[in-house]
Amino acid sequence: MTRVATHAGYQSALLNLMSAQSRAQQAQERIASEKIATDMAGYGRSAEQLTTLTATQERLEGFIGAGQSAAARLDAQDLAMGRIYEGGAGAREAIANSLAAGGVTNLMTELQLHYQTIQGGLNAQHQGSYLFGGGNSDDAPATASTMADLAAAPSTASTFANDTLKQKSRIDENTLVETGFVASELGGGLTDVFRTIQSYQNGNAVVIDGVTYTPAAPGSITGKPTAEVEAFLKATLKMLDAANTEVTNQTAKNGLVQNQVKSALDAHESQKIALEKLMNDKTGYDPAQAVTDLQMAQVAIQASAQVINTLRSTSLLDLLR
């Protein structure tokens, strides 16, 4: 005799209902995320490849972040170097114009203003740290705030508080670039010129290119320049030319590194776009297909629910009664 029972029918209908609900939830998640799955377990055999791609993306994001940080620093350095050169070029122009005019009465005042411009560039900050301090980025690298402070210092080198450690940035797997500069190298030449001029103005003999220039008295750089003062100032013009050239060279070096970092960033951005497309091809899910899957799952839910409702009214006990 064949046994007739409702338990198996209920169990089958409930399993179908639960399966349809699971498919509906999965379709809703795909609609929301436009992804095949929300975790690696949902990708099956593709999970290992996706893990490798994700790790590559994370490394790439790290290089992009480091490159952007380096680019911002280099931009700030370019502006600061521009100020330093502006001060040096302004000082040269002031001396040349005073000699041409035959009067140097206001020259020291002008030079002090140009020195402060240089000082501002050497002590420029970026994100709360001094750009040209080397490893000592918490303290102002150029310590002499006036030309008088410069002349009072035992040496030009003693007026700089930076160390020799220069900032470096890794912009890709195999490239570590030096992106930092230090104040003593960048502004040492210009600072020495201003110190020499102030020392001469204080009445001290100075030596330029092996030639000794001895002022007649303190404060000699005023009024109509004597032959001695004129010769001294012309010698300082040569010093300024050499110092300004060095600043120009350092600025050009900064520009070369800027171009290198920009090229690396462009390459990273292109690689990022290609990786995102590859990841989307492997993880993306067509929204239209997800909507269709959801609708089909909802129909299956309704059908399963209807079967269960029908089974409730076709119990074997009802037939026995």
Side-chain angles (χ1 to χ4, degrees):
M1 182 178 69
T2 303
R3 294 178 179 272
V4 180
T6 58
H7 174 71
Y10 269 117
Q11 188 178 32
S12 177
L14 284 172
L15 288 174
N16 288 337
L17 178 61
M18 292 171 63
S19 177
Q21 288 175 331
S22 177
R23 292 198 303 273
Q25 181 181 358
Q26 187 181 60
Q28 288 174 334
E29 290 174 351
R30 287 172 172 174
I31 290 173
S33 66
E34 296 186 3
K35 301 292 183 184
I36 294 175
T38 57
D39 54 33
M40 287 299 174
Y43 290 102
R45 295 180 179 178
S46 300
E48 184 176 352
Q49 186 179 9
L50 290 174
T51 300
T52 302
L53 289 174
T54 301
T56 302
Q57 272 189 322
E58 290 175 353
R59 287 200 307 273
L60 193 60
E61 289 290 349
F63 289 135
I64 290 175
Q68 290 173 340
S69 178
R73 179 186 179 89
L74 289 165
D75 288 343
Q77 287 178 171
D78 184 68
L79 292 173
M81 290 176 179
R83 290 188 65 189
I84 296 169
Y85 180 80
E86 178 186 345
R92 191 199 188 288
E93 184 178 2
I95 293 173
N97 289 343
S98 295
L99 289 174
V104 294
T105 299
N106 298 318
L107 179 58
M108 292 303 296
T109 300
E110 290 185 59
L111 291 178
Q112 177 62 45
L113 294 174
H114 292 305
Y115 174 71
Q116 288 175 345
T117 299
I118 295 170
Q119 189 80 349
L122 292 173
N123 288 335
Q125 291 180 282
H126 175 63
Q127 295 181 347
S129 298
Y130 288 98
L131 282 170
F132 306 120
N136 183 24
S137 59
D138 295 330
D139 299 320
T143 60
S145 57
T146 65
M147 291 175 64
D149 294 336
L150 276 179
S155 65
T156 300
S158 67
T159 65
F160 290 99
N162 61 271
D163 59 21
T164 58
L165 183 65
K166 297 180 182 179
Q167 178 82 22
K168 294 182 179 180
S169 302
R170 184 170 294 280
I171 57 175
D172 60 37
E173 293 281 3
N174 304 310
T175 307
L176 183 67
V177 295
E178 189 176 272
T179 56
F181 297 79
V182 293
S184 55
E185 292 182 6
L186 186 59
L190 283 172
T191 302
D192 193 46
V193 178
F194 283 89
R195 183 172 181 272
T196 298
I197 293 173
Q198 185 63 55
S199 182
Y200 183 88
Q201 179 71 344
N202 290 349
N204 301 313
V206 296
V207 179
I208 301 176
D209 292 335
V211 179
T212 301
Y213 298 89
T214 305
S220 295
I221 304 177
T222 187
K224 184 177 180 179
T226 63
E228 171 70 21
V229 170
E230 186 172 340
F232 166 73
L233 291 177
K234 286 181 178 178
T236 62
L237 289 178
K238 294 181 180 179
M239 292 180 69
L240 280 170
D241 286 339
N244 286 332
T245 297
E246 179 58 27
V247 175
T248 300
N249 292 338
Q250 296 287 338
T251 305
K253 181 181 176 182
N254 187 77
L256 289 174
V257 180
Q258 278 182 300
N259 291 336
Q260 186 178 4
V261 171
K262 182 180 182 301
S263 296
L265 277 174
D266 289 343
H268 291 329
E269 289 293 344
S270 298
Q271 189 177 357
K272 178 182 176 182
I273 292 172
L275 269 176
E276 287 175 347
K277 184 179 184 304
L278 181 59
M279 287 286 288
N280 188 61
D281 289 343
K282 292 185 175 298
T283 65
Y285 200 79
D286 184 8
Q289 182 63 47
V291 171
T292 301
D293 292 345
L294 177 61
Q295 291 174 342
M296 293 178 66
Q298 289 172 340
V299 170
I301 290 172
Q302 293 172 357
S304 298
Q306 187 173 354
V307 169
I308 292 173
N309 188 53
T310 301
L311 287 173
R312 289 179 59 188
S313 61
T314 57
S315 171
L316 181 61
L317 293 176
D318 293 337
L319 293 176
L320 290 176
R321 283 198 298 267

